Each structure stands twice: as structure tokens, then as C-alpha cells.
């Protein structure tokens, strides 16, 4: 059975379980379950601490796992990214006392506090920047500068409001743009079943990104209409019974749905319908 590690708690846990459920896999109903076999799909799920997922995958204890790109890099394990999953996006940045620093090179000689010491150390090392120390903290790094533990912090930044409340501001380019990813062990043959898991997850990503759009359009306007909805390969165009109109079906990016509908209506299309895609294989 394909052994899959899933985050057991935190911001990655619920979205990961939702995606696997949409992909047709069984998921736990009780948060106390640590192992969940799914014999119908020939897989077995192991619910682990998010920080440990990449470590277990790299050691070969499990075949693949879902974790964050930041956690993978920070683990320094031999696991590698296999597939980005499109959720839990975040940006990792340096921050310091407002108005004092503008560039990452200024971190040289300073103490950096972070919950991701390996990630930050690797980033600085790759750029030849030598800090005085990289101080690992388990959380609440925003207080490190005020408490005299560090001169600079490195942390996940969303809106920046928490940093501003602490008198801090981000500086320099982002250290990393992270998101949830599927990881596998490096330098080994692909485990049996990973291809099926990959196709299923890609199907979920596509179903989330696209909708199915159907509409009717006069025959003389078909070319103009399909230019607006080219689909993935090519739209399906079928003649209607009256011989003067055609029915068109195409996949359209979900984020552009209303704009595309407006454009089609302006061209002359009518009976424009949008349907969510529950599952697909592309």
C-alpha cells in the first residue's frame, strides 16, 4: 500500500484532508486516529506533526507526504517537492525595527530569530551573508527584538499587521514563497501508486481552477464566441435542431467566469450556463 503522511493539526491539516477527500480517498472522522488504512484505494494514511512529515518521507518511513515548502526546506531532509497543491500560501520575510533596515545584506553581523533556522541559515549561506547567530524560537518571534534576543527576525508574513503592532517592518526581497506541497523521497524509484495519487490531486486542482461553461450562439458568431472560450484543447461545438444556432461547451478559469459571460453576451451568445466540476482527469 502507498504510505501517505498527512499533517495531523495546524493550518495544513484540514485543507489537506479536504483535498484528499475530493480526490476520492477515505479520511479520518476522529482526530485521535493516527493511522487510517484505505484498502479500496490501496493506500494508508499516517497523521503526523507537520514539521515531521518531510523527515519521515526523507527517511523512507512513509512514501509521500503533504507539508509546506517552508517546512520541507527547514527539515534539511532528503525529501523533495513532487507537486505544488495550491493552498496554504504564505510569504517568508525578514523584519526589523521600523526605519532601520532596507536590504538582506544588512543582516550580516546581526542576530536573526526565527522558527525556521535551517531555512534562514541556508538562504543566508547561499548569498554569502554571515549573521552573528541564527536563534531558533518555537513561536512569537515578533517579541525577540524587544526582549533583546535578536536584532532581526524572519517569519511568515501575511498582512504585516502583527509586525506593525510590534513596531517592526519587513525589508528586502521575500526569503521564500511557500505553499502546501506533496513531497517524496529523493533518488529512489517512484513508489507504486504515486502516479495515481498525482493524477487524482491534479484533477482536484483543475476542478477547483476551472468551471464548465455552456452557451448557445448563432452560427455566424461561433468563431467570435470560441475565441473568448478556447477551452483547454478546443471547445465542443454542436449544431442545434433549428440549424441556425450552435451549442458550445468549454472549460473556463473560475476566476474569469463573470467577465467571460459578459463578453459572450455582448457577442450574441445566450442561455449561458456555468457548472462546477467535481472531478476530472486532464
Amino acid at each position: 500500500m502507498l504510505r501517505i503522511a498527512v499533517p495531523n493539526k495546524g493550518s495544513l491539516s484540514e485543507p489537506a484532508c479536504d483535498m484528499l477527500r475530493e480526490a476520492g480517498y477515505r479520511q479520518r472522522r476522529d482526530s485521535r486516529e493516527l493511522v487510517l488504512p484505505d484498502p479500496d484505494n490501496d493506500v494508508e494514511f499516517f497523521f503526523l506533526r507537520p514539521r515531521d512529515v518531510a523527515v519521515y518521507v526523507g527517511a523512507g518511513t512513509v512514501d509521500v507526504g503533504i507539508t509546506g515548502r517552508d517546512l520541507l526546506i527547514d527539515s534539511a531532509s532528503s525529501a523533495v517537492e513532487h507537486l505544488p497543491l495550491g493552498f496554504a500560501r504564505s510569504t517568508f520575510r525578514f523584519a526589523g525595527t521600523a526605519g532601520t533596515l532596507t536590504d538582506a545584506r544588512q543582516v550580516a553581523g546581526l542576530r536573526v530569530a526565527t522558527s525556521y533556522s535551517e531555512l534562514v541559515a541556508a538562504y543566508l549561506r547561499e548569498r554569502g551573508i554571515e549573521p552573528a547567530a541564527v536563534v531558533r524560537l518555537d513561536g512569537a518571534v515578533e517579541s525577540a527584538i524587544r526582549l533583546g534576543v535578536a536584532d532581526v527576525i524572519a517569519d511568515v508574513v501575511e498582512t504585516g499587521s502583527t509586525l506593525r503592532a510590534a513596531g517592526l517592518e519587513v525589508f528586502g526581497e521575500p526569503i521564500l514563497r511557500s505553499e502546501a506541497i506533496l513531497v517524496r523521497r529523493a533518488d529512489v524509484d517512484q513508489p507504486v501508486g504515486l502516479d495515481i495519487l498525482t493524477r487524482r490531486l491534479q484533477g482536484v486542482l483543475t476542478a477547483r481552477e476551472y468551471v464548465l461553461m455552456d452557451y448557445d450562439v448563432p452560427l455566424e458568431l461561433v468563431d467570435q464566441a470560441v475565441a473568448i472560450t478556447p477551452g483547454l484543447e478546443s471547445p465542443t461545438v454542436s449544431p442545434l435542431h433549428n440549424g441556425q444556432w450552435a451549442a458550445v461547451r468549454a472549460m473556463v478559469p473560475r476566476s474569469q467566469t463573470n467577465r467571460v459571460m459578459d463578453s459572450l453576451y455582448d457577442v450574441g451568445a445566450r442561455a449561458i450556463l456555468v457548472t462546477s466540476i467535481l472531478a476530472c482527469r486532464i
Side-chain angles (χ1 to χ4, degrees):
M1 302 178 79
L2 184 70
R3 297 164 298 174
I4 306 171
V6 183
N8 66 346
K9 59 183 178 180
S11 60
L12 289 170
S13 179
E14 186 174 346
C17 291
D18 288 343
M19 174 168 274
L20 290 166
R21 193 175 292 109
E22 288 179 46
Y25 294 102
R26 181 184 177 193
Q27 287 299 288
R28 64 180 182 174
R29 297 182 179 179
D30 188 337
S31 61
R32 292 173 296 182
E33 287 184 276
L34 299 179
V35 180
L36 177 66
D38 184 357
D40 290 342
N41 291 296
D42 204 27
V43 301
E44 190 171 17
F45 295 101
F46 296 83
F47 295 88
L48 308 172
R49 290 178 65 246
R51 278 191 172 273
D52 294 339
V53 169
V55 176
Y56 280 100
V57 173
T61 308
V62 294
D63 299 309
V64 295
I66 294 175
T67 188
R69 185 176 292 125
D70 51 355
L71 295 174
L72 168 64
I73 297 173
D74 196 57
S75 73
S77 75
S78 58
V80 295
E81 181 172 335
H82 179 72
L83 178 71
L85 299 177
F87 64 88
R89 290 189 171 97
S90 61
T91 304
F92 206 76
R93 304 287 299 266
F94 285 117
T97 303
T100 60
L101 300 167
T102 59
D103 191 277
R105 288 171 294 184
Q106 295 173 288
V107 172
L110 301 180
R111 298 166 299 163
V112 185
T114 181
S115 298
Y116 299 80
S117 56
E118 291 293 334
L119 188 160
V120 172
Y123 177 89
L124 295 173
R125 187 167 54 248
E126 289 171 2
R127 288 156 181 78
I129 302 170
E130 295 187 12
V134 176
V135 181
R136 186 181 184 105
L137 300 176
D138 285 336
V141 296
E142 298 88 353
S143 302
I145 297 176
R146 179 174 294 179
L147 294 175
V149 175
D151 307 299
V152 175
I153 68 169
D155 201 10
V156 173
V157 177
E158 294 182 1
T159 64
S161 58
T162 303
L163 293 176
R164 288 192 292 273
L168 307 177
E169 66 180 6
V170 298
F171 65 89
E173 294 298 317
I175 300 170
L176 177 72
R177 297 189 188 278
S178 183
E179 66 179 293
I181 57 175
L182 182 70
V183 299
R184 59 175 174 79
R185 191 177 178 187
D187 303 324
V188 297
D189 292 337
Q190 180 171 294
V192 175
L194 178 55
D195 55 341
I196 295 175
L197 173 65
T198 302
R199 285 198 302 270
R200 287 194 180 193
L201 294 177
Q202 287 173 330
V204 172
L205 291 170
T206 302
R208 289 179 173 183
E209 185 178 355
Y210 289 88
V211 294
L212 198 62
M213 188 170 291
D214 292 272
Y215 58 89
D216 297 340
V217 65
L219 290 177
E220 65 272 16
L221 300 175
V222 166
D223 288 344
Q224 295 181 52
V226 299
I228 299 171
T229 58
L232 294 186
E233 303 294 342
S234 179
T236 300
V237 180
S238 306
L240 293 183
H241 181 68
N242 65 14
Q244 299 177 14
W245 285 63
V248 180
R249 167 171 284 186
M251 290 176 66
V252 172
R254 184 181 295 271
S255 61
Q256 300 178 24
T257 299
N258 284 287
R259 182 186 62 78
V260 170
M261 293 176 73
D262 292 338
S263 297
L264 288 173
Y265 193 90
D266 290 341
V267 164
R270 297 295 181 267
I272 307 170
L273 306 176
V274 175
T275 308
S276 291
I277 301 170
L278 295 180
C280 66
R281 296 291 184 275
I282 301 299

